[in-house]
Amino acid sequence: MDLLSIVERIGEQPTAALFGLITGMVFGIAAQRSQFCLRAATVEFARGHMNDRVAVWLLTFSTAVVWVQGAQLLGLMRAEDARIMAVPGSWSGAIIGGTLFGIGMVLAKGCSGRLLVLAATGNLRSVVSGLIFAVVAQMSLHGVLAGWRDKLAAMWITDGGRNMDLLAFFHLPDWAGLAFGIATAALALELSRRNRIGFSRLVFASGVGFSVALGWVLTFGLSQIAFDPVQIESATFTGPSANTLMFFLEPNPILEFDVGLVPGVFLGSFLASSLAGEFKFQGFEGSSPMRRAMIGAALMGFGGMLAGGCAIGNGVTGGSVFAGTAWVALFFMWVGAMATDILIDQPGLRRLAA
């Protein structure tokens, strides 16, 4: 059955939601099995190590670039039509929001995507943090925090009414993005070899990157045949978490890619953890960790919405199409996360060791 037949059978909006579900399931399975986590990678790096978490994150990022740039060269998608590229970006939002998100993901012990994956494995701490993240994200989009978000984002925006395409800005050829991805993947594989990462984990880490390309290709294909405008997008969790929350609260909800993505990640991670015998319920170990996680989730909710995306939305999805503000946001997520670990977590560890 081809794409047009699917649309004719179930409609455009349900098809978009189905594509979100498929993308989310691939992401959830791959992320759960590979233990992909930007927070863990930044903490590892802040402590002077280049071990398995850094290697897995770098492999995921690089393979996303390879898959997405390869798909673009084959005509399966156009980065300039992507939602993140077609609207103005905010440099100030990327800097401030990225920093806040980085701080929050260390406090919450996981970025928004990682919290969703962990929640599906029975981690009740992640369920609470994820709900707070979604609520604050919605408040930052349409609620009481929206005014602050708008003011901070408007301080410094990209020129020309669009986001910056880094490849075009530096006048690089069409194949430059793919070449960069291959070179970065080679570095990731060398780190993986040094850390003796198993083959299956490498496959699943690259599977996370593949899920990002899958989302881009599916939504682009739908946009080419749909009667109504379709957002060309892929995996991200700030906006989708808020939209999924409202889908279950509004009287007349609308099906879209976002609404399928979040349940898809949850279902994929649940299936992967259950089949591996890793599903088990976990809770908070005291009031202090709970307060820390709640504060971190709130910072991620506001920071992610201000930055235009989470650690996945900016750090992998936006980065794979070389959106300027996505790369800036990713950089400041690393800065915020590393600073938080150095200033808050590492002193505590040294006191315990003394």
Side-chain angles (χ1 to χ4, degrees):
M1 183 180 293
D2 60 18
L3 179 55
L4 183 59
S5 299
I6 295 174
V7 173
E8 290 176 345
R9 181 180 291 265
I10 66 175
E12 294 175 6
Q13 291 178 345
T15 300
L18 175 63
F19 286 171
L21 182 70
I22 294 171
T23 301
M25 287 191 66
V26 174
F27 180 98
I29 293 170
Q32 198 279 329
R33 299 312 304 152
S34 66
Q35 301 176 42
F36 168 77
C37 179
L38 176 60
R39 193 275 311 177
T42 57
V43 169
E44 191 174 83
F45 190 78
R47 298 178 185 181
H49 305 297
M50 295 280 282
N51 295 337
D52 65 312
R53 296 306 183 96
V54 173
V56 165
W57 183 87
L58 197 59
L59 183 61
T60 292
F61 174 78
S62 61
T63 52
V65 173
V66 169
W67 283 110
V68 171
Q69 293 298 312
Q72 181 162 260
L73 290 175
L74 292 172
L76 298 176
M77 65 161 289
R78 289 194 301 266
E80 62 266 27
D81 295 339
R83 179 169 65 178
I84 194 173
M85 299 295 289
V87 297
S90 169
W91 299 116
S92 55
I95 294 169
I96 301 170
T99 303
L100 292 175
F101 191 97
I103 295 170
M105 71 179 181
V106 171
L107 295 177
K109 295 189 175 181
C111 72
S112 50
R114 181 62 176 167
L115 291 179
L116 181 58
V117 170
L118 289 175
T121 67
N123 191 315
L124 301 179
R125 296 168 298 183
S126 295
V127 173
V128 173
S129 298
L131 287 172
I132 293 172
F133 168 79
V135 170
V136 175
Q138 181 62 31
M139 292 168 61
S140 304
L141 181 63
H142 295 302
V144 296
L145 298 176
W148 283 99
R149 178 184 62 84
D150 290 340
K151 290 178 181 178
L152 293 172
M155 290 169 59
W156 187 15
I157 62 173
T158 55
D159 297 327
R162 293 176 58 87
N163 207 330
M164 177 187 287
D165 183 334
L166 292 177
L167 297 179
F169 179 79
F170 289 108
H171 305 289
L172 296 174
D174 292 342
W175 50 264
L178 178 60
F180 172 83
I182 293 172
T184 309
L187 173 61
L189 288 173
E190 174 59 20
L191 281 176
S192 300
R193 184 191 66 80
R194 292 182 183 180
N195 289 285
R196 300 180 180 179
I197 298 176
F199 177 75
S200 63
R201 191 177 178 192
L202 293 178
V203 170
F204 283 116
S206 63
V208 181
F210 172 76
S211 72
V212 170
L214 181 63
W216 283 128
V217 170
L218 289 175
T219 55
F220 176 77
L222 181 59
S223 74
Q224 301 304 294
I225 64 171
F227 180 78
D228 295 319
V230 172
Q231 299 278 13
I232 301 172
E233 56 191 319
S234 189
T236 184
F237 296 105
T238 309
S241 295
N243 292 338
T244 303
L245 176 66
M246 296 310 297
F247 178 83
F248 293 103
L249 297 178
E250 291 179 343
N252 298 304
I254 299 175
L255 281 172
E256 54 186 344
F257 180 87
D258 289 0
V259 174
L261 178 69
V262 173
V265 173
F266 189 92
L267 180 59
S269 180
F270 172 75
L271 291 173
S273 63
S274 298
L275 291 174
E278 296 176 0
F279 181 91
K280 62 178 180 179
F281 289 108
Q282 302 175 62
F284 287 104
E285 297 174 353
S287 60
S288 181
M290 185 173 184
R291 287 195 299 270
R292 171 181 163 135
M294 293 172 69
I295 292 171
L299 288 174
M300 283 197 295
F302 181 75
M305 196 60 73
L306 175 59
C310 63
I312 307 300
N314 277 317
V316 182
T317 300
S320 68
V321 294
F322 290 88
T325 57
W327 280 69
V328 172
L330 173 62
F331 174 78
F332 280 95
M333 286 176 188
W334 277 80
V335 170
M338 291 176 62
T340 305
D341 181 67
I342 292 170
L343 297 174
I344 296 178
D345 286 353
Q346 291 188 31
L349 291 174
R350 287 193 290 268
R351 286 194 295 270
L352 288 174

